[in-house]
């Protein structure tokens, strides 16, 4: 099998067959698959949000843990406000109202770019945090596997990457089942747990307190930190409003219904788990999650139902990363269409997925997982800045939007979004204050760096466009083309390239650097036989350098006819096996590199195919 | 300053000015600089060889450590035998008698390649082990620096690499001073130490025994392991005989005298240090070397003389790596001349140093240092297999040599080399038996792998030569050249490339893939103005793919005239800054990749230079 056909075959095997344009809209999401694909982030965060609140409060002693109840109620209320606020965005932007578009259109281009940078960072962290938390659900049930935490995270990442490169519909199908199993199994956990509570048959866990317990007083700062950590429950709410165009028509209506369902489910599960963790005296640790402890307390340690809860938690968390796989490439593509990102992000792959975005997302997420050793709690401080920056900008942008359109009921709408903006801005401030020194500074530096990169890219493309414009341009008519061919001796590949060179111009010169008199003499004799019409130029080289005399000669030829072309022909071996590349063409590469920055010089490689 | 001139300026700054051919022999080594450049490996190994013997013996309890004395005497005798044996090689091979050449000429090509592979592995390990041991001499005196061990190793590596890229004579000058300071300071240490012993004023160290002390019985296997570890003292003996042509004339005589001086110095220092470590009850550990403990016991802990010994030890050890920097590129160059290695290793750089070999050696040594965290004791088991394979093959080859030449006194000469071969073969067997499971298996796999690579390279070059021969070759006279230019739209870079294409042929066709009817219509209108004589071909694309219709069309054009050329012209942006490459030319790259394996197809990039 030739090399030509191996690569496409492999690609097809991994990614499936290409799809013609006119079939594209069959890939759209129903409400049922849409909830699975776009809501898993928001739903799955209930699996860890309570743990973060409890783990923060216990530092002030076991007695402080009950504050998790009022804190969760506040967060649930905020989640409802934000969801309601985003529901308005769906209707106002039925073609997809991500924070980037809303902030760009209503506030300013820079605000849009800040939102876009925040979201790209956020999506990457969603992948890392969700996969790490999913692996924690496995290692909670099977502690021996903890040694392979990072490897397991990376394995899930690869599965997600390939799944997404294969395309959207497959994603929906794969992801629907575990999402619904998760919802049902958590509902069962909460139902049985509350039933036991009402029957007074609760047996509290005797999980050991962590060593830090009771080491600090219960300050307002600590309560705010617990609140900030709990706000992870709100992440992922925006995914549906970004993904409106992925729904089946009527897109906006389907998306809005999906958003409401998602918010109701997320709030119910979050409050239920928080309540149960409190009454069952659950104490989450880095080696066992709170949901796992609840499962053991309610269903018993080695029961089928316990393992079902753990498996469903893993599945939804790993698949929550899929929300980011749906949104990161889509956002990158929109930003790239505005020329703030390289145009490669605009290419749709064979299966309508945005392959480059998917690959870049996977790489960055892998770096985070490796750098933080797959530890959810260590990644957490980086997580929420990006989310709440984009929430705030998006809601603020909507306020401006309503003031512009002034359509019926715009004041109510503006009030709802304004309240949403205020709430998320306050959360952002709290997160920034409590998390900066724990690692969030990385994100605070990263966002402006990415915005700078966006602007540099756009500036570059604008410069290029101005250099490429045909307005007022008259091309020079250049007729003469001097063809030069550096040679190191004479053999079949050289002779073939000479014959090719002769088709290009009637001014062809072979150039040879003389480092050894005997070899030069031999070459002159061979030239009589094989040189054909081509003139032989021999250059002296006092320093034995091959390159310098050659470059000087090319420069001299160019200066003789500055307005005309010089074409440099290089015979190039095309080996039969990849490793043989290392054995050839080094000099050709050097010459190409040296000539790259010379105007009017064209370098042409004439391939010589080696049989083996 | 343009990019053209920046690169050579930087290169010159780092590597010095180029040297014309006729000045080359001024770079040769005198006996004094030759001893420094080629003997530092052999001399410096006395700084750690004793430690390895003692650290092995102490496992059987402190009482077993006295065996270091008889073991060292055996090793010293072997060293004398091997040195004497190599002295004969110098005279028989005045143009450089490395194990590769001797084994290849006298035994077989494969034997030569095994010797060459062993030596290349050995040189790499010499660099890693010597640098690690040199850094240990620093951290022995300043334990706080131990945390930066790997970084310090890599820093020394970079200094050595740049020093060697600059050229041989500079190396001699840099390395002479520390080598002689080392010899004098170790001689002082031994002299004062023995004087104190004779005066009965020895105060033994009370270094703690390592935790493994006394955990195993004193078996023959343990004694053999201690002996095998001590044989590191013999490494580096071959360096002088490999480096004969680097000496000033008379090369052989100067080299032989240098070899004898080196052997006498190495044996004296090795026995002296072993004796002193015994009477001063020194117990080397991974955090403090034996020489450092001796220095503290004899000169006192914070004295000038103690720090001088440590500094000289570091200097000679780091510079011992330089032996490998002299030999690795030279051997790679000889092997490459026989076409067993890529021809890049044959190029001499601007300053007569073999740049590619130096760079490859540095990279592999860096990998070893990082993989083994700069720990000398962990690297040790890998070290000696390569050394003794090449010793044995080289001496055995010399026996065959004498039997062939039958010159005066050949029987004595054959006996000496035969005895050397026997001795080194026995050591090789002991090293293999005792070290295989401690890591030497890596080297036992690596050597045959490298030999296989050598042979594959040679086979490939032979195949290429047979495909390039002009014997019986009649070039086809091909006249027609169809020039195709894929375009995605029309702008200035496209128009310039079109004008270039027109100089190449009178059959030029622009090829456009139709993915959107409106854009295609616009292009047809623009073509009226800018197309010139060039025919416009529009291809349909039902799957929205840009590449497939294009490749199919090129295939079709080729099949129309299978014996003629097709030239594909691609406009290519040459950006002003490196990062801008990421923003351009992706499609050109894809097209080039797809066309690489097609015969008779030439791809030409016409550069368009972006101003910013």
């Amino acid at each position: 099998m030739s090399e030509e056909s191996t690569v496409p075959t492999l690609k097809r095997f991994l990614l499936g067959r290409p799809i013609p344009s006119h079939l594209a809209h069959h890939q759209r999401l129903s409400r049922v698959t849409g909830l699975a694909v776009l809501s898993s982030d928001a739903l799955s965060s209930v699996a860890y949000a309570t743990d973060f609140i409890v783990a923060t409060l216990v530092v002030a002693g076991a007695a402080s843990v009950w504050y998790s109840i009022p804190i969760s109620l506040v967060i649930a209320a905020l989640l409802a406000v934000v969801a309601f606020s985003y529901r308005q965005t769906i209707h106002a932007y039925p073609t997809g109202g991500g924070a980037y578009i809303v902030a760009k259109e209503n506030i300013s281009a820079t605000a849009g770019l800040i939102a876009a940078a925040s979201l790209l960072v956020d999506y990457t962290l969603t992948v890392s945090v969700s996969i790490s938390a999913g692996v924690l659900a496995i290692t909670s049930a099977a502690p021996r596997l903890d040694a392979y935490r990072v490897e397991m995270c990376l394995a899930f990442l690869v599965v997600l990457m390939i799944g997404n490169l294969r395309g959207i519909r497959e994603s929906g199908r794969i992801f629907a089942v575990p999402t619904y199993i998760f919802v049902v199994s958590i509902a069962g956990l909460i139902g049985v747990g509350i039933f036991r509570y009402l029957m007074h048959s609760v047996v509290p866990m005797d999980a050991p307190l962590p060593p830090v317990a009771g080491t600090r007083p219960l300050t307002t700062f600590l309560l705010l930190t617990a609140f900030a950590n709990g706000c992870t429950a709100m992440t992922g709410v925006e995914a549906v409003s970004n993904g409106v165009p992925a729904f089946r028509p009527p897109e906006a209506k389907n998306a809005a219904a999906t958003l409401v369902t998602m918010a109701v489910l997320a709030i119910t599960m979050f409050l239920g788990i928080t309540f149960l963790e409190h009454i069952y005296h659950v104490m989450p640790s880095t080696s066992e999650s709170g949901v796992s402890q609840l499962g053991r307390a309610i269903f018993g340690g080695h029961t089928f139902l316990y393992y079902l809860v753990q498996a469903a938690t893993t599945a939804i968390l790993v698949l929550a990363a899929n929300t980011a796989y749906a949104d990161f490439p889509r956002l990158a593509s929109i930003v790239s269409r505005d020329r703030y990102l390289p145009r490669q992000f605009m290419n749709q792959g064979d299966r309508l997925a945005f392959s480059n975005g998917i690959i870049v997302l996977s790489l960055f997420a892998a770096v985070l997982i490796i750098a933080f050793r797959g530890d959810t709690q260590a990644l957490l401080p980086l997580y929420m800045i990006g989310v709440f920056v984009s929430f705030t900008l998006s809601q603020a942008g909507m306020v401006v939007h309503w003031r512009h359109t002034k359509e019926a009921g715009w004041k109510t709408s503006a009030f709802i979004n304004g309240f949403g903006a205020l709430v998320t801005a306050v959360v952002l401030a709290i997160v920034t204050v409590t998390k900066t020194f724990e690692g969030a500074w990385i994100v605070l530096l990263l966002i402006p760096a990415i915005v700078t990169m966006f602007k540099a890219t756009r500036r570059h493309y604008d410069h290029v466009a101005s250099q490429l414009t045909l307005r007022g341009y008259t091309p020079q008519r250049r007729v003469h083309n001097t063809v030069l061919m550096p040679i190191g001796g004479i053999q079949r590949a050289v002779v073939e390239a000479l014959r090719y060179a002769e088709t290009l111009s009637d001014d062809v010169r072979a150039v040879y650097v003389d480092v050894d008199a005997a070899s030069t003499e031999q070459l002159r004799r061979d030239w009589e036989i094989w040189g054909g019409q081509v003139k032989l130029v021999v250059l002296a080289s006092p320093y034995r350098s091959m390159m310098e005399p050659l470059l000087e000669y090319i420069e001299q030829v160019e200066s003789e006819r500055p307005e005309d072309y010089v074409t440099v022909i290089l015979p190039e071996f095309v080996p039969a096996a990849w490793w043989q590349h290392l054995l050839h063409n080094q000099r050709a590469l050097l010459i190409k590199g040296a000539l790259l920055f010379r105007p009017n010089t064209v370098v042409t490689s004439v391939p010589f195919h080696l049989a083996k």
Side-chain angles (χ1 to χ4, degrees), chain A:
Chain A
M1 188 178 280
S2 79
E3 303 233 5
E4 278 169 272
S5 56
T6 322
V7 175
T9 307
L10 180 68
K11 189 175 159 201
R12 196 128 303 167
F13 172 73
L14 287 174
L15 309 182
R17 301 196 62 77
I19 295 166
S21 314
H22 63 276
L23 293 177
H25 73 275
H26 283 287
Q27 303 291 96
R28 299 291 190 82
L29 300 168
S30 70
R31 286 186 193 187
V32 174
T33 52
L35 186 73
V37 171
L38 297 171
S39 308
S40 49
D41 181 12
L43 294 183
S44 66
S45 49
V46 305
Y48 50 76
T50 306
D51 289 9
F52 292 144
I53 301 174
V54 174
T56 312
L57 290 171
V58 79
V59 174
S64 309
V65 171
W66 81 268
Y67 278 102
S68 61
I69 302 287
I71 288 176
S72 298
L73 288 170
V74 174
I75 292 171
L78 296 184
L79 206 162
V81 169
V82 173
F84 204 54
S85 197
Y86 266 110
R87 199 171 157 271
Q88 300 208 105
T89 309
I90 290 175
H91 288 293
Y93 284 89
T95 58
Y100 168 64
I101 290 174
V102 173
K104 186 186 75 166
E105 291 194 359
N106 296 299
I107 307 177
S108 73
T110 303
L113 294 177
I114 293 171
S118 306
L119 281 171
L120 292 178
V121 169
D122 169 37
Y123 293 145
T124 312
L125 281 156
T126 299
V127 173
S128 315
V129 170
S130 301
I131 290 183
S132 304
V135 168
L136 177 62
I138 296 178
T139 55
S140 293
R144 282 195 201 166
L145 293 175
D146 195 48
Y148 305 100
R149 196 168 53 187
V150 174
E151 289 81 355
M152 288 164 75
C153 288
L154 295 178
F156 281 121
L157 194 63
V158 168
V159 170
L160 276 179
M161 183 178 85
I162 292 177
N164 276 281
L165 286 172
R166 285 188 65 103
I168 291 178
R169 224 231 311 239
E170 273 77 358
S171 305
R173 209 185 293 147
I174 297 173
F175 300 147
V177 178
T179 304
Y180 290 109
I181 293 179
F182 174 75
V183 171
V184 169
S185 68
I186 294 291
L189 185 74
I190 294 171
V192 175
I194 288 177
F195 177 78
R196 286 219 186 161
Y197 173 70
L198 297 175
M199 296 292 107
H200 302 285
S201 71
V202 167
V203 184
M205 297 290 289
D206 55 348
L209 289 180
V212 292
T215 55
R216 277 164 54 190
L218 183 72
T219 57
T220 311
F221 188 80
L222 194 72
L223 285 174
L224 288 177
T225 307
F227 167 78
N229 287 342
C231 285
T232 42
M234 292 164 73
T235 58
V237 175
E238 80 292 352
V240 174
S241 75
N242 295 348
V244 182
F247 279 88
R248 289 196 192 139
E251 290 88 349
K253 219 174 145 208
N254 284 328
T258 305
L259 176 63
V260 171
T261 314
M262 180 188 84
V264 170
L265 285 173
I267 290 172
T268 312
M269 294 196 292
F270 175 57
L271 289 180
I273 288 174
T274 306
F275 178 66
L276 288 180
E277 290 206 8
H278 179 61
I279 58 176
Y280 281 83
H281 293 196
V282 159
M283 187 48 56
S285 70
T286 49
S287 60
E288 185 173 12
S289 67
V291 169
S292 168
Q293 291 182 28
L294 272 188
R296 286 199 291 124
I298 293 171
F299 293 139
H302 292 286
T303 58
F304 170 75
L305 287 175
Y306 167 69
Y307 286 115
L308 180 71
V309 169
Q310 290 308 103
T313 307
T314 301
I316 191 153
L317 276 164
V318 171
L319 302 180
N322 194 61
T323 304
Y325 273 100
D327 274 344
F328 184 104
R330 185 177 296 122
L331 177 59
S333 158
I334 294 169
V335 174
S336 157
R337 202 172 305 142
D338 289 344
R339 285 178 288 141
Y340 289 111
L341 268 178
R343 65 187 71 176
Q344 290 96 298
F345 288 103
M346 242 167 71
N347 296 339
Q348 290 195 313
D350 275 353
R351 280 186 83 85
L352 313 182
F354 303 86
S355 319
N356 289 321
I358 289 169
I359 291 165
V360 167
L361 172 63
S362 304
L363 286 179
F364 282 113
V367 167
L368 282 173
I369 286 172
I370 293 168
F372 288 86
R373 311 284 319 142
D375 179 352
T376 319
Q377 305 229 5
L379 281 162
L380 185 69
L382 281 68
Y383 193 17
M384 279 169 303
I385 300 252
V387 182
F388 284 94
V389 166
S390 72
F391 278 0
T392 308
L393 286 171
S394 161
Q395 302 312 314
M398 287 305 295
V399 176
V400 179
H401 172 82
W402 299 122
R403 287 168 54 110
H404 267 285
T405 62
K406 298 216 162 126
E407 58 193 53
W410 73 271
K411 283 187 178 169
T412 319
S413 299
F415 175 77
I416 294 170
N417 284 126
F419 189 65
L422 183 72
V423 160
T424 52
V426 169
V427 175
L428 175 61
I430 293 172
V431 170
T432 308
V433 167
T434 57
K435 299 277 134 195
T436 296
F437 293 105
E438 290 179 31
W441 61 269
I442 299 175
V443 176
L444 289 175
L445 292 180
L446 207 53
I447 290 173
I450 295 173
V451 171
T452 309
M453 190 195 76
F454 285 156
K455 293 196 165 180
T457 303
R458 169 64 181 257
R459 201 158 44 237
H460 174 68
Y461 279 134
D462 286 349
H463 285 318
V464 170
S466 73
Q467 290 174 67
L468 290 181
T469 180
L470 292 169
R471 205 171 311 227
Y473 169 67
T474 4
Q476 284 177 271
R477 186 90 203 157
R478 296 191 267 208
V479 185
H480 190 80
N481 185 358
T482 311
V483 177
L484 303 180
M485 187 171 137
I487 58 172
I490 189 145
Q491 24 85 333
R492 200 178 279 212
V494 168
V495 174
E496 295 217 346
L498 280 176
R499 296 296 88 84
Y500 174 78
E502 284 174 337
T503 71
L504 301 185
S505 172
D506 39 22
D507 182 1
V508 183
R509 312 174 199 173
V511 186
Y512 180 75
V513 178
D514 170 22
V515 285
D516 165 43
S519 309
T520 307
E521 205 36 62
Q522 180 62 45
L523 181 81
R524 285 193 197 277
R525 279 195 299 274
D526 289 341
W527 201 255
E528 303 288 317
I529 308 168
W530 301 104
Q533 304 302 312
V534 178
K535 189 179 143 194
L536 177 65
V537 179
V538 175
L539 306 173
S541 176
Y543 290 87
R544 295 194 309 178
S545 167
M546 305 294 282
M547 288 292 291
E548 277 171 40
L550 185 63
L551 295 179
E552 277 162 22
Y553 181 73
I554 293 173
E555 206 153 336
Q556 180 198 324
V557 169
E558 274 168 357
S559 61
E560 281 165 12
R561 294 168 173 269
E563 73 292 343
D564 279 336
Y565 291 108
V566 173
T567 300
V568 177
I569 302 279
L570 299 171
E572 184 166 318
F573 290 111
V574 180
W578 66 266
W579 59 270
Q580 297 168 349
H581 280 284
L582 299 172
L583 309 178
H584 298 287
N585 302 326
Q586 310 304 325
R587 209 169 144 241
L589 215 66
L590 279 179
I591 295 176
K592 273 189 204 176
L595 296 179
L596 188 61
F597 294 98
R598 233 171 253 277
N600 297 336
T601 306
V602 177
V603 180
T604 296
S605 298
V606 180
F608 184 85
H609 293 260
L610 295 174
K612 61 180 179 179

